[in-house]
Amino acid sequence: MITYEEFVMIHTLHKQGYSIRAIARMTGLDRRTISKRLKEKELMPRKRVEYKSKLDPFKEYIKERIATALPHRIPSTVIYREILNKGYKGKIRILQSFMSAIYKELLPYKEEKVIRFETMPGVQAQVDWTVIKTGKVQSMPL
């Protein structure tokens, strides 16, 4: 999808006499995109494609089950077994993605508060752990 600025630039360059190939070189866009956009009088928005999911017939049931169990979470394996008995033919991953989106919407993430405290010098020791690379490990001959 090109931006409105690119659309205007394509039309401006074409009106100035540049060829489609020259415009493609200047803008970095494909020649077919250039010629397609030159046929349009104004930038047409991209159509959003809605795909059907095997989970669609069960979404309302899943939402109800999740809502009744709040604030507790129902494992996706439990709901997966339930909807399999109702005729679901899809995989569990589709269900997990859907349930994750619902839980993010219903149970927003709560940030843990960081409690800062100070101690007198010598009272508490703190260590930052790290891994130090020493290069190649050479084996010692026996």
Side-chain angles (χ1 to χ4, degrees):
M1 186 69 189
I2 65 170
T3 63
Y4 181 72
E5 289 80 17
E6 289 173 324
F7 180 79
V8 171
M9 185 187 318
I10 290 169
H11 279 273
T12 306
L13 291 172
H14 189 68
K15 285 178 186 174
Q16 291 175 356
Y18 288 99
S19 68
I20 292 174
R21 287 178 187 254
I23 296 171
R25 263 186 261 116
M26 285 188 248
T27 59
L29 297 171
D30 191 74
R31 290 178 314 181
R32 290 175 290 194
T33 303
I34 305 285
S35 61
K36 180 179 175 183
R37 298 304 175 193
L38 284 173
K39 291 175 187 172
E40 298 174 353
K41 296 295 178 199
E42 57 185 54
L43 182 63
M44 304 304 272
R46 192 172 194 179
K47 294 177 186 173
R48 186 162 188 99
V49 179
E50 291 290 327
Y51 295 103
K52 289 186 177 183
S53 171
K54 292 179 180 180
L55 195 62
D56 285 343
F58 307 96
K59 285 184 178 180
E60 288 304 316
Y61 172 76
I62 296 165
K63 288 177 184 177
E64 288 174 17
R65 285 284 285 131
I66 290 173
T68 56
L70 285 176
H72 303 291
R73 289 177 170 246
I74 301 174
S76 58
T77 53
V78 172
I79 298 216
Y80 182 63
R81 265 187 260 124
E82 290 175 8
I83 62 175
L84 275 178
N85 293 334
K86 292 180 179 271
Y88 177 62
K89 302 273 188 236
K91 301 292 181 184
I92 193 169
R93 186 67 194 128
I94 301 169
L95 174 66
Q96 289 170 337
S97 298
F98 179 70
M99 287 179 65
S100 174
I102 292 175
Y103 279 126
K104 282 180 184 174
E105 186 179 302
L106 297 176
L107 299 172
Y109 177 73
K110 295 178 183 176
E111 267 190 50
E112 292 183 21
K113 293 183 179 178
V114 177
I115 301 172
R116 184 177 171 87
F117 62 94
E118 299 284 333
T119 60
M120 297 302 293
V123 174
Q124 182 183 18
Q126 296 182 1
V127 177
D128 291 335
W129 295 97
T130 186
V131 175
I132 300 172
K133 293 183 179 180
T134 59
K136 292 183 179 179
V137 178
Q138 297 177 358
S139 59
M140 305 261 309
L142 297 176

